[in-house]
Amino acid sequence: MAKPISIEVWNPSGKYRVVSTKSMPGTRWIRLLADNDCRLEICTETKTILSVDDILALIGDRCDGVIGQLTEEWGEVLFSALKRAGGTAFSNMAVGYNNVDVEAANRNGIAVGNTPGVLTETTAELAASLSLAAARRIVEADQFMRAGLYDGWLPHLFVGNLLKGQTVGVIGAGRIGSAYARMMIEGFKMNLIYYDLYQSTRLEKFVTAYGQFLKANGEQPVTWKRAATMEDVLREADVISLHPVLDKTTYHLINPERLAIMKKEAVLVNASRGPVIDEVALVEHLKANPMFRVGLDVFEDEPYMKPGLADMKNAVVVPHIASASKWTREGMATLAALNVLGKIKGYPVWGNPNLVEPFLKEDATPPAACPSIVNAKQLGLPSSKL
């Protein structure tokens, strides 16, 4: 017999049974479900990642919907179990859904929600933080101080890279990549080179306008360039931030050959997906080039790092916290809950999944819609006219 899963229950007499595989930040998402006749069961197990068997036990014999996490593998076993339990909705508390077999969800008639629209600025801020921390060797210096090694100022002590007037390179100039670029350009007056399959006209106009503003005030204007190839970005940029989607074409996008063409003192930042970097090759490159620095929020075999990476002083590593601002994580929880609630209630799907502000107003009733269902078209779900 399977070990019982510990849970916390809200609104025990609710008509609809909704399960959350993790406790999530904030309380608004709980109130929204409870106030709409949902019995909410929140898993309180201490283990970081639940197994498929754990989630099967949570689903049980009757379950209308599940809020899950990107660390869980949602495929045929779980979606068929959810269907048998009478469920119709699952939502990741994440914008990405690489952990979800959407085809399996389609076969079982399960709507798959995600939470875009609240992560853009938060993720861009973390990428900018990693850029600065790596360039100015902040983590190294912090460890040095805590170890009691500082005994006076020295000319060569933790000399890093100046960002002002240098070139920032962005690979993938979508919402997050463009937000990051604006922060680095406006914050440090960096020039921009970017590579994307699609022209980022809005970003280009921003840089042009900001350059004109600087020139009008007697300062050196910033410039932008859309690179013809990704290799052009890697060769020319002093700081490179990766913001591509993860698919077959971007797996190990950064490999030994591309690392070799980057500047010896470049800074490489990744807050997108771990497997876009060949982590073994990166470790070797860091060893061979001590002035090359990297800032990583994600890892190829998360939660593990490749051997040697943790020992590299020229690497700043953080545990997948790009979305970890209070406002963003509470917003993600709210959107995930509303995805599940909306499908249970038969609401249509919101027309623009990146326009989420109406769902996040603390004291207002959210629209009667599912904020973001990635397989809405495949399931033939109606679209909101709001």
Side-chain angles (χ1 to χ4, degrees), residues 6 21 28 41 51 59 66 73 75 90 92 96 131 135 142 152 163 168 190 197-198 230 251-252 255 283 333 380:
S6 60
T21 63
R28 183 168 181 254
E41 298 182 10
S51 68
I59 291 171
V66 177
E73 292 298 325
F90 165 79
N92 247 8
S131 302
D142 177 86
L163 297 181
V168 61
M190 300 185 79
L197 296 176
Y198 303 97
M230 185 171 57
Y251 175 79
H252 281 188
N255 55 28
V283 171

Side-chain angles (χ1 to χ4, degrees), residues 50-107:
L50 297 183
S51 68
V52 170
D53 286 341
D54 291 332
I55 300 172
L56 287 172
L58 285 169
I59 291 171
D61 297 327
R62 189 184 76 80
C63 182
D64 295 284
V66 177
I67 303 168
Q69 302 297 323
L70 56 81
T71 53
E72 303 156 2
E73 292 298 325
W74 278 80
E76 180 65 33
V77 172
L78 291 180
F79 284 125
S80 61
L82 183 56
K83 179 182 179 181
R84 288 193 300 273
T88 60
F90 165 79
S91 185
N92 247 8
M93 183 198 154
V95 64
Y97 47 95
N98 301 99
N99 62 310
V100 178
D101 183 343
V102 178
E103 290 302 318
N106 293 341
R107 288 193 297 271

